[in-house]
Amino acid sequence: MFAKKKDTVPAPAFTPLAQMAPAPASVAPAPPPRPKPASIIAQGVAIKGDVAGDGELHLDCVLQGEVRVGKLVLGPNARVEGAIHAQVIEIHGRVTGAVSAKQVRLYGTAVVDGDITHEQLAMETGAQFQGRSLRFQRPAPAQQAPAAAPVPPAAGHAPAMAVYPG
């Protein structure tokens, strides 16, 4: 008469941890990339040939050839014979050749024999520079339709004058 009623609710299913997919971790922003360390070539080294890269280069050696890098720092013992191109150039040593950069700084021990093409040029007292200082040519802004040029008055004709009653 009094019988226990069987519940129809199934028992909860358990999945072992090893079979469960890992929960997605909260997406944290990636840390900013660390700046690349500068490449350094010390005193006592001589290089014959071109050097190119996009990073920072510190030279304190003798180099015969062209240099194209992102940033160039020439130490007090550096001697470069050839053109140098970079975004930023700091010169403590000697350069014989063209220098081209947005920012050029000649320190008191710098000796440059060649043209410097730049947007910004700074020289400390004592720096020696033999050559031309040339500013980068920025492209001209887009030209609009030219305005009508004023017409010069005809010879012997005086412009009209306004008369105000008064």
Side-chain angles (χ1 to χ4, degrees), residues 153-164:
H157 177 56
M161 296 179 61
V163 179
Y164 297 101

Side-chain angles (χ1 to χ4, degrees), residues 89-156:
I89 298 176
E90 298 178 5
I91 302 173
H92 297 267
R94 177 179 295 272
V95 175
T96 304
V99 175
S100 179
K102 285 185 178 181
Q103 296 177 1
V104 178
R105 183 172 184 103
L106 305 180
Y107 288 87
T109 57
V111 177
V112 176
D113 187 8
D115 295 345
I116 299 177
T117 305
H118 58 86
E119 280 186 16
Q120 297 177 355
L121 174 63
M123 292 178 61
E124 286 187 350
T125 303
Q128 298 175 33
F129 169 44
Q130 177 78 31
R132 295 180 300 170
S133 169
L134 307 166
R135 291 192 44 95
F136 278 130
Q137 296 296 325
R138 293 188 179 188
Q143 297 278 338
Q144 294 181 356
V151 178

Side-chain angles (χ1 to χ4, degrees), residues 57-105:
L57 177 62
H58 291 235
L59 295 178
D60 210 16
C61 63
V62 176
L63 186 138
Q64 290 180 327
E66 185 174 325
V67 179
R68 286 187 177 273
V69 292
K71 179 178 180 183
L72 178 63
V73 177
L74 297 178
N77 299 306
R79 275 193 0 239
V80 175
E81 296 176 14
I84 56 177
H85 307 274
Q87 293 293 315
V88 177
I89 298 176
E90 298 178 5
I91 302 173
H92 297 267
R94 177 179 295 272
V95 175
T96 304
V99 175
S100 179
K102 285 185 178 181
Q103 296 177 1
V104 178
R105 183 172 184 103

